[in-house]
Amino acid sequence: MSETIGRRCWAIAEGYIPPSSTGTTRELTSHETLCILNATETAARVEITVYFADRAPAGPYIFDVDARRTRHLRFNDFDDPEPIPTGTDFASIVRANVPVVVQHTRLDTRQPALALLSTMAFPLDG
Amino acid sequence: MSETIGRRCWAIAEGYIPPSSTGTTRELTSHETLCILNATETAARVEITVYFADRAPAGPYIFDVDARRTRHLRFNDFDDPEPIPTGTDFASIVRANVPVVVQHTRLDTRQPALALLSTMAFPLDG
Amino acid sequence: MSETIGRRCWAIAEGYIPPSSTGTTRELTSHETLCILNATETAARVEITVYFADRAPAGPYIFDVDARRTRHLRFNDFDDPEPIPTGTDFASIVRANVPVVVQHTRLDTRQPALALLSTMAFPLDG
Amino acid sequence: MSETIGRRCWAIAEGYIPPSSTGTTRELTSHETLCILNATETAARVEITVYFADRAPAGPYIFDVDARRTRHLRFNDFDDPEPIPTGTDFASIVRANVPVVVQHTRLDTRQPALALLSTMAFPLDG
C-alpha cells in the first residue's frame, strides 16, 4: 500500500454558474468553485478545459498552485482566454503537472437562502 | 500511471424527482439531473436503465453526447419509452459505448428556497 | 476492463438524523437515508451496522432488496434491534451478500427551507 | 476481492468555516466537519494537516478515535496548535495509524435557512 498525494487528471461533469444572486457580498454571490489542493513540495501548473453542450471546448485556463497550498478557483472569475457564460451547462477537466486533489463546490443564492453542493472530482489517472 | 477519460458504466443509487416546485422557471423547477461529460474524440451513445422499489426497471433511455461535449439530462424530461414518475424513489445505471464521466445533481424547490445535492456517480467498470 | 454491478461492503462516516422538522409530511420530515441499488439478478440480504461516538455499535439491521430493485431506507425508520437516536452523530457500514451500490442522502427541514446533502458511500471491498 | 475497513490517508480540497450564523444553538451554528469512522478493533490516532492559500500549513491537529467508534470533528473547535480562521479557504489531509473512513460535511446558516454539503474524502493510499 503506497501513499500518493493526489492525481494528475480530474473530471467534473457538472458545471453551472447561477445567473443571479440574492447575496450582495462576494462570499454570498452565487459561484461555482474548483478547490485544488497541492500537498506536494513542488509548485503545480494547472490547466483547465471547459466543455459545453453545443460548442467547442474553452481553454485551457492556466493557474499556479504553490507547493503545500490550496487554491479555491471560481469559474465566475475565469477570463483568459474567455469568460464562462452564466446560466449555461458545462463540465471540466483539470490537468496538473504534479499530483493534486480536486473538489467541486457550488454556492447558489438565486433564491433568498443559500444552497450548497460539493463532490470530489473524478480521478482520470490511476 | 495511465490516463483514461472516464468509464463505460456508472451507477447512481439515489433518484427522486421532487413532485412540486416553488420556482416558476425551468431553471428553478425541481429537477433531477444526470450530467454526462464525453471528453473523447468520438460521439457517445448512452443507455440509461431506471430501477424502482416495486416494479420492473424502465428503459433503456437512449441519448447521444457528441465528442468533446457535455449534456445535462433531466430525468423530468425522459419520456421514451415512458416518463419517470415524480415523488418516487428510483436509481439508475448509465452505460456508454465510449468512456464518459457521470455526475448526479438535484435541485429541489419544494420549499421557498432551493436546495441542491450532487455527487459523482459510482464507476462499475475499471 | 470488467464490469461489476457494485460492491459488497460500503462505509458512510457521516450520519445524523435532524431532531426536528418544519415539514409536516413524511416527505418533508427531516431524514437520513441509505439508497441501495441491487442491479443483480439475485435478491440481496443487506446488513447495516451503526457506529456511535461513545457507545458500542448497534445492529445489525437487516433488509432485503429484491433483484433489479432499489430501496431507499430511512435510518429514522430503523427499529430492530433498536431505534437510532435523533440529534446524535453516527456512522454506518453496509454489507450485502451480492454486489450493490450505496448512496447516502439527508433531507433537513429544521429551518423553514429544506437542505439536502448526498454522497456515494465508500466501497470497502474491491 | 478483499475487504478493508478504510484507508490511512485522505484528502479534502474544500474547506471553509462560514464566518456567521443565523442559528443560535451549537447544532445550527455554521460549521465544517470531518466525520471519521474507525470500524477496526484498534484505537486510531488521527493527524490532520490544514493547508491555506497564502501561508504555511497548520497542524498537525491530533485526535483519538476509539475502536468501533465514530467522531465528527468540527474544524471550528480546533485550537491546538492554533485555531482555524473563519471565512478563509483551506484544505486538509487526514492521516491515521489504522484504516478509517473520512467524510466532509458543512452546515451553513449564514442566511436564514440552513444549507448542507457533504462528500466522501479522497483516499490517497490504496
Side-chain angles (χ1 to χ4, degrees):
Chain A
M1 193 170 288
S2 65
E3 180 183 321
T4 66
I5 36 186
R7 305 286 184 89
R8 283 186 174 77
C9 188
W10 298 80
I12 303 168
E14 171 66 281
Y16 181 81
I17 303 173
S20 63
S21 302
T22 57
T24 56
T25 61
R26 176 172 163 85
E27 281 308 324
L28 292 177
T29 297
S30 295
H31 56 267
E32 188 88 355
T33 302
L34 269 183
C35 302
I36 301 177
L37 169 60
N38 175 12
T40 75
E41 300 293 328
T42 308
R45 169 63 54 102
V46 175
E47 295 193 3
I48 301 162
T49 304
V50 178
Y51 295 83
F52 299 96
D54 52 10
R55 51 153 284 192
Y61 298 88
I62 299 179
F63 299 92
D64 292 312
V65 185
D66 286 344
R68 305 175 76 218
R69 295 292 184 272
T70 186
R71 281 189 74 180
H72 296 197
L73 302 167
R74 292 190 184 194
F75 287 104
N76 309 46
D77 296 334
F78 286 16
D79 61 3
D80 179 10
E82 62 183 296
I84 311 288
T86 63
T88 302
D89 294 335
F90 64 88
S92 54
I93 286 188
V94 179
R95 289 187 171 82
N97 62 343
V98 299
V100 297
V101 179
V102 177
Q103 188 168 344
H104 162 233
T105 299
R106 179 183 304 157
L107 181 141
D108 187 329
T109 63
R110 283 177 289 176
Q111 293 191 340
L114 67 89
L116 292 170
L117 67 80
S118 186
T119 191
M120 209 54 68
F122 184 73
L124 295 177
D125 59 335
Chain B
M1 195 171 288
S2 64
E3 181 182 320
T4 65
I5 35 185
R7 305 286 183 89
R8 284 186 173 81
C9 187
W10 297 81
I12 302 168
E14 172 65 280
Y16 180 82
I17 304 172
S20 63
S21 302
T22 58
T24 56
T25 61
R26 176 173 164 84
E27 280 309 324
L28 291 177
T29 297
S30 295
H31 57 268
E32 187 89 354
T33 302
L34 269 182
C35 302
I36 301 176
L37 168 60
N38 175 12
T40 76
E41 300 294 329
T42 307
R45 167 64 54 102
V46 175
E47 294 193 4
I48 300 162
T49 303
V50 178
Y51 295 83
F52 299 97
D54 52 10
R55 51 153 284 192
Y61 298 87
I62 298 178
F63 299 91
D64 292 312
V65 185
D66 286 344
R68 305 175 76 218
R69 296 292 184 274
T70 187
R71 283 189 72 180
H72 295 197
L73 302 167
R74 292 191 183 192
F75 286 103
N76 309 46
D77 296 333
F78 286 15
D79 61 3
D80 180 9
E82 61 184 297
I84 310 288
T86 64
T88 301
D89 293 335
F90 64 87
S92 54
I93 286 188
V94 179
R95 289 188 170 81
N97 62 342
V98 299
V100 297
V101 179
V102 176
Q103 188 168 346
H104 163 233
T105 299
R106 179 183 304 158
L107 181 141
D108 187 330
T109 63
R110 283 177 290 176
Q111 293 191 339
L114 67 89
L116 292 171
L117 68 81
S118 186
T119 190
M120 209 55 67
F122 183 73
L124 295 178
D125 59 335
Chain C
M1 195 171 287
S2 65
E3 180 183 321
T4 65
I5 35 185
R7 305 288 183 87
R8 285 185 173 79
C9 187
W10 297 81
I12 302 167
E14 171 66 282
Y16 180 82
I17 303 173
S20 63
S21 301
T22 57
T24 55
T25 61
R26 176 173 163 85
E27 281 310 324
L28 292 177
T29 298
S30 295
H31 57 268
E32 188 87 355
T33 302
L34 270 183
C35 302
I36 301 176
L37 169 59
N38 175 12
T40 75
E41 300 294 328
T42 306
R45 167 63 56 101
V46 175
E47 294 193 4
I48 301 162
T49 304
V50 177
Y51 295 82
F52 299 95
D54 52 10
R55 50 153 286 191
Y61 298 87
I62 298 179
F63 298 92
D64 293 311
V65 184
D66 286 343
R68 307 175 75 217
R69 296 292 185 273
T70 187
R71 282 189 73 179
H72 295 197
L73 302 167
R74 292 190 184 193
F75 286 103
N76 309 45
D77 296 334
F78 286 17
D79 60 3
D80 181 8
E82 61 183 296
I84 310 288
T86 64
T88 301
D89 293 336
F90 63 88
S92 53
I93 287 190
V94 179
R95 290 187 169 82
N97 62 341
V98 300
V100 298
V101 179
V102 177
Q103 188 169 345
H104 163 231
T105 299
R106 180 184 305 158
L107 181 141
D108 187 330
T109 63
R110 283 177 289 176
Q111 293 191 339
L114 67 89
L116 291 170
L117 68 81
S118 186
T119 191
M120 208 57 66
F122 183 73
L124 295 178
D125 59 334
Chain D
M1 192 170 289
S2 66
E3 180 182 320
T4 67
I5 36 187
R7 305 287 184 88
R8 284 185 173 79
C9 188
W10 297 82
I12 302 167
E14 171 66 282
Y16 181 81
I17 303 174
S20 63
S21 303
T22 58
T24 56
T25 61
R26 177 173 164 85
E27 280 309 323
L28 292 176
T29 297
S30 296
H31 56 269
E32 189 88 354
T33 302
L34 271 183
C35 302
I36 301 177
L37 169 60
N38 175 12
T40 74
E41 300 294 328
T42 306
R45 168 64 53 104
V46 176
E47 295 194 3
I48 301 162
T49 304
V50 178
Y51 296 82
F52 299 96
D54 52 11
R55 52 153 283 193
Y61 298 88
I62 298 180
F63 298 93
D64 292 311
V65 185
D66 286 343
R68 306 174 77 218
R69 296 291 184 275
T70 186
R71 282 188 75 178
H72 296 197
L73 302 167
R74 292 190 183 192
F75 286 102
N76 309 46
D77 297 334
F78 286 16
D79 60 3
D80 179 10
E82 62 184 295
I84 310 289
T86 63
T88 301
D89 294 336
F90 63 88
S92 53
I93 286 189
V94 180
R95 289 187 170 84
N97 62 343
V98 299
V100 297
V101 179
V102 177
Q103 188 168 345
H104 162 232
T105 299
R106 180 184 305 158
L107 181 140
D108 187 330
T109 63
R110 282 176 290 176
Q111 293 190 339
L114 66 90
L116 292 170
L117 67 80
S118 186
T119 191
M120 207 57 66
F122 183 73
L124 295 177
D125 59 335

